[in-house]
Amino acid sequence: MYGFNQSINIQIGEKPPDLYCFTSPVTISTQIWGSRPVMANFSIHSEACPTVKNILLLDSEGKRVAVKYYSDDWPTKSAKLAFEKSVFVKTQKTNARTEAEIAMLENNIIIYKFVQDLHFFVTGGDDENELILATVLQGFFDAVTLLLRNNVEQREALENLDLILLCLDEIVDGGMILETDGSIIAGKVATHSMDDGAPLSEQTITQALATAREHLTRSLLR
């Protein structure tokens, strides 16, 4: 990450720094060598990094199963619940079971998909790339499918809520996208609390999930 108004100097032939994500405006100066040095400057806007405002998993009645907010747009619990209700009402009559759909609500882009009695949503600002948001949604769905052993329905989700919440933590942190590959996300969740003496290669995914769940439960009861 680069700080406010920080300058970065690179010479021709050098590899520039990763420009994918900056926290504030950055000026990059390129020095061209010849009879005299010439400096070429350009700036990168602080919004270069795609962000997610929230990820929602609701049931078929619009009630919470698991939610995670990364934006201050909804500062109170009542504001969050009102937004979730609006999202559900706006999308409930659509057919988003075969593939993901897109909707606009309160200057936000919402990508969503329904499976059984579960509704998956990813929200971003109206200036975000919907393809990136769709990738986050698909990664979330794929990871949940693996963690629930293809039994993607509300009852199974509630019984494995701890794993789904860990899953959200592996996908986004503070709005920043960390991972979108469902198998990688599920694998990280499965190994979070795995026994030190039991390598992943020697365990099945089911055993790993059971171990992670048991250790998480013990930590919560301490």
Side-chain angles (χ1 to χ4, degrees):
M1 295 291 183
Y2 295 88
F4 184 73
N5 288 331
Q6 182 172 345
S7 295
I8 304 168
N9 297 314
I10 59 173
Q11 297 182 11
I12 296 299
E14 290 183 341
K15 181 181 178 181
D18 186 0
L19 305 185
Y20 184 69
C21 182
F22 290 87
T23 56
S24 56
V26 174
T27 299
I28 291 184
S29 301
T30 302
Q31 189 163 3
I32 304 172
W33 297 99
S35 56
R36 61 176 182 172
V38 179
M39 302 301 294
N41 299 306
F42 61 93
S43 296
I44 298 176
H45 194 266
S46 61
E47 298 299 327
C49 183
T51 58
V52 172
K53 288 189 174 184
N54 62 53
I55 300 178
L56 312 175
L57 180 58
L58 307 179
D59 66 16
S60 58
E61 296 180 350
K63 296 179 181 178
R64 287 182 169 189
V65 176
V67 302
K68 202 85 168 185
Y69 283 81
Y70 312 99
S71 168
D72 294 330
D73 289 3
W74 307 274
T76 64
K77 183 177 180 179
S78 59
K80 292 179 174 69
L81 291 172
F83 177 77
E84 292 161 25
K85 181 178 180 180
S86 297
V87 169
F88 179 75
V89 170
K90 186 175 181 67
T91 61
Q92 64 176 329
K93 294 182 179 180
T94 62
N95 183 18
R97 297 188 179 278
T98 55
E99 58 184 20
E101 299 283 348
I102 182 171
M104 296 293 297
L105 179 65
E106 302 174 3
N107 297 320
N108 294 302
I109 297 175
I110 302 170
I111 307 294
Y112 60 99
K113 184 174 185 178
F114 305 155
V115 180
Q116 302 287 2
D117 52 359
L118 291 176
H119 294 196
F120 295 74
F121 302 90
V122 172
T123 304
D126 57 5
D127 57 346
E128 293 295 347
N129 187 321
E130 58 268 24
L131 294 179
I132 293 178
L133 297 177
T135 301
V136 174
L137 176 73
Q138 189 63 47
F140 179 38
F141 171 75
D142 289 344
V144 170
T145 300
L146 288 170
L147 293 170
L148 300 185
R149 298 171 295 279
N150 293 314
N151 189 17
V152 185
E153 52 92 18
Q154 182 184 356
R155 181 176 179 179
E156 190 73 16
L158 291 173
E159 291 178 353
N160 296 274
L161 187 57
D162 52 348
L163 298 180
I164 293 177
L165 293 174
L166 286 173
C167 176
L168 292 174
D169 291 339
E170 292 294 340
I171 299 172
V172 175
D173 180 21
M176 309 288 288
I177 301 170
L178 302 178
E179 182 59 67
T180 60
D181 186 305
S183 60
I184 293 177
I185 297 164
K188 288 181 177 180
V189 170
T191 57
H192 252 299
S193 302
M194 186 180 296
D195 286 328
D196 294 336
L200 179 61
S201 60
E202 297 178 7
Q203 296 195 20
T204 66
I205 185 67
T206 302
Q207 291 171 329
L209 291 172
T211 301
R213 188 181 301 110
E214 180 182 356
H215 283 229
L216 181 62
T217 301
R218 288 178 180 176
S219 66
L220 293 174
L221 292 176
R222 288 175 182 172

